[in-house]
Amino acid sequence: MDQDKSFLSVEIDQNPPIPANEMKRLIALSDLDLDYLDLNKSFADLTKLAAKVAGTSISLINLIDSFTQWSASSYGIELQQMPREESVCQYTIMEENSGGFEVKDLSKDERFKDRFYVTDAPHLKYYYGVPLKVDEDVVLGALCVLHDDYKSLSAEKKEMLEIIAGEVVNRIKIHHAVANLKKTVQETNSIKNRVAHDIRGPIGGIIGLAEIIQMQGNSNKLEEVLEFIALIQKSGKSVLELADEILSQNFESSDSSKRAPKDHEFTLSTLKSKLEDMFNPQAMSKKVVLEVKASPPFAEIPFPKNKILQILGNLISNSIKFTPSEGKIEVTLDMEVFDQQKILQFKVKDTGVGITPEKIYEILKGGTTSANGTSGEKGFGFGLNLVQHLVKGLKGRLLVNSNLGDGTEFELIIPMEAAS
């Protein structure tokens, strides 16, 4: 199945299933700060094992966000994403299916019989999914197995799939912990290098002045000694100020604009590439033009990834949803630099249906409800709430400018120190 086809859109009559704790679930997923397209190697063995255990031709590890089902790993099919409302796994994450969700024949189930993966290749019939639980009531997505013929899984096989699902969650947690550890190590190395560089100069000056006084001995004049002491005091004070800065943990590499980004960082250029890879398939399937621009001259300055991908991803998915075919979405990535202060400035502008003033007020208050998209996509009503929650957590601001029938522009302003 090609990637464009995997994001085909069909109109569905019933309302999509939404977990009672959906906002809590989305926050838990966003806190993991995962790059959905960069996880396949970590889980390839588990998807293959799941298919072998179940005796099915296909298995997937799916993570479900506000708008999209992301296939973090796949076996037997090339699939990276599909609209959440078209997936079967959206039912697996419901509380009533915490013990697993099974569909014996997708082609005879009113919820799924018209889906493209049932009516077209690979003509799937059987589905069994196990929720990926980070705790008892929070589900990130599902481990699922699918087949193009009828299947019947024994209780033992279902139990084995639950064990594999548990290992998937463990690896997700480990992936997150390792990423945080790498970030800490890289930041510590940067601190160490700066401290070594900054301390060497003042201490060397103190030692040099002390040696001069010692060498001159009794020939030192009082005025010269006092001058030397003043210089020693100045150097000592600079070391003390550096120590205070270290203890307050409030400093940043002075040459950040000259170095390559670390694992826990983006530049505007690398963020641009990531957004294009993730969201061009969605835009192309709806015949919407997605244009992402990284503005010079600060496109190569590193900044922390922290939640940026989740925030922009939700805004872009929302714009795709509410922009009709042949429309356009422009994403502008910019940065302002004032001495040591850096501020991220992002804009997502679409030619969609627009938003009423009342709806804008709801968004900014974090209480917006769902609506249907321009091609009949069902709304979940949590994507923009999540964006506002994450932006506030980064001490940033979300601005919305829109008129009905005239598109919408979302603007994000995030101070760098808040995104660290």
Side-chain angles (χ1 to χ4, degrees), residues 222-384:
L222 179 59
E223 294 81 3
E224 291 177 341
V225 172
L226 291 174
E227 185 179 345
F228 289 151
I229 289 174
L231 292 172
I232 290 173
Q233 184 185 33
K234 184 177 180 180
S235 294
K237 185 179 179 181
S238 67
V239 175
L240 182 61
E241 288 173 348
L242 179 61
D244 289 338
E245 193 176 5
I246 293 169
L247 291 173
S248 67
Q249 298 181 350
N250 184 31
F251 55 88
E252 178 180 325
S253 175
S254 59
D255 62 348
S256 62
S257 63
K258 301 177 182 178
R259 62 174 174 80
K262 298 181 174 67
D263 290 342
H264 66 280
E265 294 175 320
F266 281 128
T267 64
L268 297 181
S269 294
T270 57
L271 178 59
K272 172 182 180 293
S273 297
K274 178 61 66 176
L275 293 173
E276 289 172 339
D277 289 344
M278 292 181 72
F279 297 101
N280 260 329
Q282 297 184 21
M284 291 173 62
S285 71
K286 199 173 176 183
K287 297 181 181 178
V288 170
V289 175
L290 174 63
E291 185 177 274
V292 186
K293 300 177 182 178
S295 300
F298 305 119
E300 305 304 326
I301 295 179
F303 58 88
K305 291 182 177 180
N306 210 10
K307 308 296 189 300
I308 298 300
L309 201 57
Q310 281 75 16
I311 291 170
L312 284 172
N314 274 281
L315 290 179
I316 293 171
S317 290
N318 182 77
S319 287
I320 292 173
K321 174 181 173 183
F322 289 103
T323 298
S325 183
E326 310 303 329
K328 185 175 183 180
I329 298 166
E330 296 180 356
V331 181
T332 304
L333 311 175
D334 205 351
M335 180 188 297
E336 286 193 2
V337 178
F338 306 99
D339 295 328
Q340 292 301 312
Q341 185 183 25
K342 302 178 181 67
I343 299 175
L344 297 175
Q345 293 185 324
F346 302 142
K347 291 182 180 180
V348 179
K349 183 178 181 180
D350 63 54
T351 59
V353 297
I355 306 175
T356 64
E358 293 78 15
K359 195 75 172 179
I360 292 174
Y361 178 80
E362 285 184 18
I363 292 169
L364 297 179
K365 289 295 181 181
T368 184
T369 54
S370 64
N372 290 348
T374 56
S375 294
E377 308 97 327
K378 299 298 180 180
F380 293 85
F382 291 92
L384 297 180

Side-chain angles (χ1 to χ4, degrees), residues 52-68:
K52 297 302 179 184
V53 165
T56 58
S57 55
I58 293 171
S59 65
L60 298 163
I61 294 172
N62 293 324
L63 301 173
I64 300 177
D65 71 10
S66 303
F67 297 96
T68 308

